[in-house]
């Protein structure tokens, strides 16, 4: 009985496997047939729409090419304008500033040494005037009153500040260029080169103080 049941059970399982296999084949066959018939679930119109969407538009490509050409042309025009533009002139802020260093260089160029400068008030006929004297004491000499070159430059800068404030730089530079006098320390009295400042009495009083 057991043997017969086992045999019958095996036959049933075999039959089920065969039916299952046949059903699977039938489903695959019908699926393939339906796909061929109906286009895998899509109508013919849907297929055409999908094909059109997946195909790039020549009009879009043409517009993109025109945009690229426009960008390239604009970049080229900017580069041409940059290279052909005239050079910009330097502003007043970028021009050379007149300071103590420049004053020292002018003194050395004129007389060959870094001579000292000193304001000297002079009173004549009741009027006060101020001269800027080029003293015969040069940088490095024993009688030079400034201990270092930095002290000397700071002193020149203070003088330049006053000349700038009262608009006397041009006047002083003109007199330095025009004079033939030279500072001399080996004479008695000493020889200084006087440079007269063109100031009003009020300006003189303000510089000299009370």
């Amino acid at each position: 009985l057991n043997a017969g049941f086992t045999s019958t059970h095996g036959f049933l399982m075999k039959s089920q496997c065969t039916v299952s296999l046949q059903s699977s084949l039938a489903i695959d066959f019908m699926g393939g047939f339906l796909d061929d018939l109906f286009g895998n679930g899509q109508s013919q119109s849907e297929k055409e729409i999908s094909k059109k969407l997946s195909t790039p538009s020549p009009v879009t490509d043409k517009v993109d090419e025109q945009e690229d050409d426009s960008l390239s042309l604009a970049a080229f025009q900017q580069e041409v304008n940059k290279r052909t533009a005239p050079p910009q002139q330097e502003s007043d802020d970028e021009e050379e500033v007149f300071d103590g260093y420049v004053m020292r260089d002018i003194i050395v160029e004129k007389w060959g040494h870094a001579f000292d400068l000193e304001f000297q008030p002079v009173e004549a006929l009741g009027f006060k005037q101020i001269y800027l004297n080029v003293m015969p004491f040069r940088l490095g000499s024993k009688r030079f009153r400034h201990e270092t070159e930095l002290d000397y430059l700071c002193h020149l800068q203070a003088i330049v500040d006053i000349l700038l404030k009262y608009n006397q730089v041009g006047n002083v530079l003109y007199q330095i260029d025009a004079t033939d006098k030279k500072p001399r320390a080996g004479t008695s009295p000493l020889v200084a080169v006087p440079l007269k400042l063109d100031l009003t009495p009020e300006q003189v009083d303000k510089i000299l103080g009370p």
Side-chain angles (χ1 to χ4, degrees), residues 180-193:
D180 292 331
K181 297 180 180 180
K182 296 180 180 180
R184 295 180 181 178
T187 61
S188 181
L190 300 175
V191 177
V193 179

Side-chain angles (χ1 to χ4, degrees), residues 10-138:
F11 174 77
L12 291 174
M13 291 183 62
K14 184 176 181 181
S15 299
Q16 291 175 354
C17 291
T18 302
V19 172
S20 177
L21 178 61
Q22 291 175 351
S23 299
S24 177
L25 291 175
I27 292 172
D28 292 342
F29 173 76
M30 289 300 294
F33 175 75
L34 292 175
D35 288 344
D36 293 339
L37 181 62
F38 297 105
N40 195 20
Q42 291 182 340
S43 63
Q44 184 65 26
S45 60
E46 290 176 342
K47 284 185 176 182
E48 292 178 357
I49 292 174
S50 299
K51 184 177 180 180
K52 290 181 179 181
L53 291 176
S54 61
T55 303
S57 173
V59 176
T60 304
D61 292 344
K62 187 174 182 180
V63 172
D64 293 340
E65 291 178 359
Q66 291 177 350
E67 290 179 353
D68 293 340
D69 292 342
S70 299
L71 292 175
S72 300
L73 181 59
F76 173 76
Q77 190 64 40
Q78 289 179 357
E79 184 64 23
V80 170
N81 294 337
K82 184 189 300 183
R83 297 190 179 188
T84 57
Q88 296 182 353
Q89 295 181 352
E90 294 184 355
S91 63
D92 295 338
D93 294 339
E94 295 176 344
E95 294 180 356
E96 184 180 7
V97 178
F98 190 85
D99 56 12
Y101 288 94
V102 178
M103 177 62 82
R104 176 200 59 185
D105 294 341
I106 291 174
I107 294 172
V108 172
E109 182 179 357
K110 177 66 177 182
W111 292 291
H113 298 285
F115 287 113
D116 198 6
L117 295 181
E118 182 180 276
F119 285 116
Q120 180 68 43
V122 175
E123 186 172 353
L125 301 177
F127 294 97
K128 293 181 181 179
Q129 295 179 336
I130 296 179
Y131 285 82
L132 179 62
N133 288 341
V134 183
M135 305 301 293
F137 308 123
R138 64 177 187 267

Side-chain angles (χ1 to χ4, degrees), residues 161-169 198-199 203 206-207:
D161 290 340
I162 294 176
L163 296 179
L164 289 171
K165 182 177 180 180
Y166 294 98
N167 196 27
Q168 294 297 305
V169 173
D198 186 13
L199 301 171
Q203 291 174 334
K206 191 171 184 178
I207 293 175

